[in-house]
Amino acid sequence: MLSVPQKHLSNGMNVPCIGMGTFGSDRYTPAQVSEAVRGAIRFGYRLFDCAAVYGNEDLIGKVFEEAIAGGVVKREELIITSKVWNDMHGKGDVLLSCAKSLRDLRLDYIDIYFVHWPFPNYHAPGCDGDARNPDSRPFFADEFMAAWRQMEKLADMGLVKSIAMSNMTIPKLEQVLPLCRIQPAAIEMELHPAFQQPELFEYCVSRGVQPIGFCPIGSPNRPDRDKAPGDIDPASMPEIAEIARAHGVHPAIVCLKWAARHGQIPIPFSVHPENYENNLRCVTEDPLTDEEMGKIAAADKNCRLVKGQVFLWKGSSSWRALWDEGGTISGWDS
Ligand SMILES: NC(=O)c1ccc[n+]([C@@H]2O[C@H](COP(=O)([O-])OP(=O)(O)OC[C@H]3O[C@@H](n4cnc5c(N)ncnc54)[C@H](OP(=O)(O)O)[C@@H]3O)[C@@H](O)[C@H]2O)c1
């Protein structure tokens, strides 16, 4: 079994320095994803990034149950995450959503439970990129904190070991962190060589919040609604290709080696054993050099791939409003 280095979260939890994503991107069925989880556990993965909205927690839960009952892995060796979806932020709903994920995943507790997006803007699964929900509205700290209080309650009850946030910005964190009784142990954010988010990354690290990097390979098979002209595929960047040649690996592997050395926890997805096995192995051998790390840092394209435009509210013109690019919370004046 591979010896995968661990990261230590500020609340004392130990987490492998790489995990596996479980979002099938509307391309892979729940059965395919859960079979990949089965193979990944056998290969040595111990961190799995799940979410209610991925629509596959029930099948993945069966795989966890069988692996634990069959002695392949002990429950305490696994770090299993889940996330409350945007339509379940209301009073009591976060608790209900967690209860459903616990039931589906067949667990007594979830290791890290995330607020998936910082606003309750719902869109139907698989909807078109131009779809807008008339009830969508900008971020509002009081509304977010009402959901976060429920997250804190889940932690108090021992149903989740750590609570965490996702798709946050510095202006939003500035508003909510001082209000949190329990600080987030981690924040999930898009991170890959074409979108390095250095300010947000440093902001989190300096406050003891572990960044977890989603789309670490640039999500080449993401749903079409999340693709736009001008998107940059990190695996196609010349700097990444050159380093890949030097190491004799696929450019995807360079993205993961970069992530692991940079300090985030990448959660790459694949249903193909050759790929997910290479992904885990690559953080245990042949690290990138300081010079290669410097080249990748200089090659950042600030190119966000998951723009979240389906969460926009009436009257907002650009997905950039979701990310507070002007340095303040966007929306209420537009
Ligand atoms: N918090 C959030 O809002 C959020 C948003 C997006 C994603 N996520 C999480 O992050 C996870 C990862 O993101 P993602 O799945 O969108 O993108 P990703 O991990 O960047 O890319 C996945 C794609 O990369 C390919 N790939 C994987 N390993 C490879 C390798 N060694 N060589 C070549 N190709 C390889 C896979 O193709 P094959 O299938 O052909 O192997 C797969 O389609 C998700 O599954 C989900 O758990 C969270």
Side-chain angles (χ1 to χ4, degrees):
M1 186 74 64
L2 288 173
S3 174
V4 176
Q6 301 275 308
K7 305 285 287 184
H8 308 288
L9 307 194
S10 54
N11 64 1
M13 179 181 272
N14 289 335
V15 181
C17 76
I18 186 168
M20 183 192 238
T22 66
F23 176 40
S25 288
D26 306 345
R27 286 177 203 267
Y28 295 105
T29 63
Q32 286 174 298
V33 177
S34 59
E35 279 315 301
V37 169
R38 188 189 307 280
I41 294 174
R42 286 200 175 275
F43 189 69
Y45 276 86
R46 293 294 177 262
L47 165 61
F48 292 92
D49 182 63
C50 305
V53 77
Y54 300 162
N56 52 21
E57 287 192 326
D58 51 345
L59 288 193
I60 292 175
K62 277 192 188 142
V63 169
F64 290 146
E65 187 177 59
E66 286 164 14
I68 293 165
V72 180
V73 69
K74 294 192 181 77
R75 170 66 186 95
E76 58 272 23
E77 292 168 350
L78 289 172
I79 298 291
I80 299 170
T81 85
S82 184
K83 311 185 190 84
V84 56
W85 186 237
N86 307 2
D87 58 342
M88 294 298 278
H89 284 203
K91 194 162 184 238
D93 287 346
V94 179
L95 305 177
L96 288 177
S97 182
C98 182
K100 175 155 177 21
S101 285
L102 282 166
R103 203 166 48 243
D104 285 347
L105 291 166
R106 301 177 184 228
L107 302 174
D108 298 330
Y109 65 90
I110 288 166
D111 294 274
I112 310 179
Y113 198 49
F114 290 88
V115 179
H116 205 147
W117 286 82
F119 28 62
N121 300 351
Y122 173 76
H123 72 83
C127 74
D128 189 76
D130 295 329
R132 296 285 177 274
N133 183 327
D135 297 331
S136 290
R137 50 192 183 271
F139 173 84
F140 183 42
D142 286 357
E143 202 165 52
F144 179 85
M145 287 310 298
W148 191 253
R149 294 290 175 239
Q150 298 177 67
M151 300 288 284
E152 292 174 332
K153 189 165 181 187
L154 287 168
D156 291 343
M157 293 163 81
L159 295 174
V160 305
K161 299 279 182 205
S162 294
I163 52 178
M165 301 175 185
S166 174
N167 295 301
M168 294 296 278
T169 64
I170 293 175
K172 290 183 177 80
L173 288 166
E174 283 283 279
Q175 287 202 356
V176 301
L177 288 186
L179 306 175
C180 294
R181 176 170 62 83
I182 303 178
Q183 292 294 303
I187 292 192
E188 213 162 277
M189 60 182 87
E190 182 179 333
L191 284 172
H192 48 77
F195 191 58
Q196 301 182 22
Q197 304 211 63
E199 294 85 11
L200 179 60
F201 183 91
E202 283 310 321
Y203 183 94
C204 291
V205 170
S206 67
R207 285 160 181 77
V209 181
Q210 172 64 48
I212 298 185
F214 69 68
C215 303
I217 300 168
S219 197
N221 292 324
R222 65 190 178 281
D224 290 338
R225 63 172 181 272
D226 285 333
K227 292 189 173 167
D231 282 355
I232 294 168
D233 169 16
S236 303
M237 288 163 59
E239 297 85 351
I240 302 298
E242 187 194 323
I243 296 169
R245 275 193 299 278
H247 287 257
V249 296
H250 189 283
I253 296 296
V254 174
C255 294
L256 299 178
K257 284 180 183 289
W258 169 75
R261 241 207 102 175
H262 187 247
Q264 64 264 33
I265 298 175
I267 43 171
F269 170 83
S270 180
V271 297
H272 299 113
E274 189 190 343
N275 283 349
Y276 64 68
E277 291 178 6
N278 284 339
N279 294 349
L280 188 72
R281 192 182 295 114
C282 83
V283 302
T284 67
E285 61 187 23
D286 191 25
L288 300 189
T289 64
D290 290 347
E291 195 193 339
E292 290 164 338
M293 291 299 289
K295 267 191 194 158
I296 296 176
D300 188 6
K301 300 286 181 286
N302 193 25
C303 180
R304 188 185 292 279
L305 299 175
V306 177
K307 300 172 183 66
Q309 64 275 20
V310 288
F311 303 121
L312 281 171
W313 46 90
K314 198 166 170 275
S316 56
S317 55
S318 162
W319 56 266
R320 293 180 187 280
L322 293 168
W323 304 103
D324 308 325
E325 288 191 354
T328 52
I329 307 265
S330 309
W332 289 104
D333 53 354
S334 63

